[in-house]
Amino acid sequence: MGGISRPSAMRHSVFTSRRSARPSNDDHRCGLRRGGYREHVPFALLSFALCVGAHAAGSTTVSGLAGTTLCRPDEVVAFSCPTATKTVSLCAKPEAGPAAKALTYRYGTAKQVELEYTATAENGKRFGATTSPAAPGASVRQLWFNRGDIRYLLTECVGGSCPYGAGVAVLNPEAVLMSARCVAGDTPDHAFFARSLIEFGNDASDTRSRTPLIKPENSDNSLDQIYKSGRPPQ
């Protein structure tokens, strides 16, 4: 990790979507609120580290997990995969489809969930989604949510030139703060987005969400850094 200069396109797209969403006070706990971003990249990294630590300290153990996912028994797995040290899951309730009333992102381990984000019709929170080219013959399907100026991103690469299949990343307008690839585990069949929940196209304009909890929108998610050919994240 380190300070990576972000293109102006990403800065515009991220700030536009976040400002319109009007995040809650809870969402701002991981945000950056000190001066210019290029001037405070070290602060960004420190803020992220402190934020993750705070979530870990306040999180609770999830019991009754299905396999290696972090979804509960009354939820449907919409995406899930283990990284080298953690598991990331997207869980729908009561189904991964038009009747979904809640969509939850969880990151951590079976013993300790470090970060959880839930979108429902009642709380007004939403996930964003789009598709972008990654390499000749490959495209990356993306789904994310924002907390302040921090974006939490799930990816699925399809096509013959993909450096790796799926992964999770954390970024802000200036840098990719963390990126990890999915590895083989007990649930390799879940390392893709449920087609009953969202049908990805070539970009946001022809991506069809089957639930109002996901809003397709164009965004630059630093795929040039996350999906570097020949240098997958560890």
Side-chain angles (χ1 to χ4, degrees):
M1 299 188 297
I4 302 174
S5 178
R6 301 295 338 120
S8 59
M10 178 187 173
R11 185 179 297 112
H12 174 74
S13 63
V14 169
F15 289 141
T16 299
S17 62
R18 288 172 185 172
R19 285 175 176 168
S20 62
R22 295 184 179 275
S24 67
N25 290 334
D26 178 68
D27 290 345
H28 281 289
R29 286 186 299 171
C30 297
L32 307 180
R33 291 288 180 264
R34 293 176 56 183
Y37 291 89
R38 293 185 187 278
E39 182 180 357
H40 291 288
V41 169
F43 171 76
L45 300 178
L46 176 60
S47 174
F48 171 70
L50 293 175
C51 172
V52 171
H55 279 297
S59 60
T60 57
T61 300
V62 175
S63 61
L65 301 173
T68 59
T69 81
L70 298 182
C71 296
R72 297 186 173 105
D74 61 344
E75 295 174 324
V76 176
V77 180
F79 177 101
S80 188
C81 75
T83 66
T85 59
K86 304 291 174 69
T87 296
V88 60
S89 298
L90 183 69
C91 312
K93 184 178 179 179
E95 68 167 39
K101 298 184 181 303
L103 193 59
T104 300
Y105 168 108
R106 294 190 184 97
Y107 177 83
T109 67
K111 293 183 178 180
Q112 195 76 34
V113 172
E114 298 176 14
L115 178 61
E116 180 174 290
Y117 174 93
T118 299
T120 67
E122 289 74 22
N123 67 21
K125 296 179 179 180
R126 297 293 181 268
F127 287 83
T130 195
T131 303
S132 304
S139 60
V140 179
R141 297 163 177 171
Q142 305 147 67
L143 188 141
W144 67 85
F145 69 91
N146 301 321
R147 277 191 163 177
D149 294 314
I150 304 295
R151 173 163 291 185
Y152 299 86
L153 178 72
L154 296 174
T155 63
E156 174 197 356
C157 189
V158 294
S161 301
C162 290
Y164 58 96
V168 56
V170 180
L171 55 151
N172 68 14
E174 291 296 329
V176 175
L177 304 178
M178 184 278 282
S179 181
R181 63 187 295 180
C182 295
V183 298
D186 295 336
T187 56
D189 55 328
H190 291 310
F192 58 83
F193 298 107
R195 305 301 183 251
S196 58
L197 189 69
I198 184 169
E199 184 176 342
F200 286 93
N202 295 320
D203 54 29
S205 65
D206 61 354
T207 291
R208 301 287 179 262
S209 173
R210 303 186 187 279
T211 168
L213 302 179
I214 301 175
K215 180 183 177 182
E217 57 182 284
N218 287 315
S219 183
D220 179 349
N221 285 322
S222 303
L223 295 185
D224 57 328
Q225 296 296 320
I226 297 171
Y227 274 85
K228 286 184 177 180
S229 180
R231 291 187 59 191
Q234 301 300 315

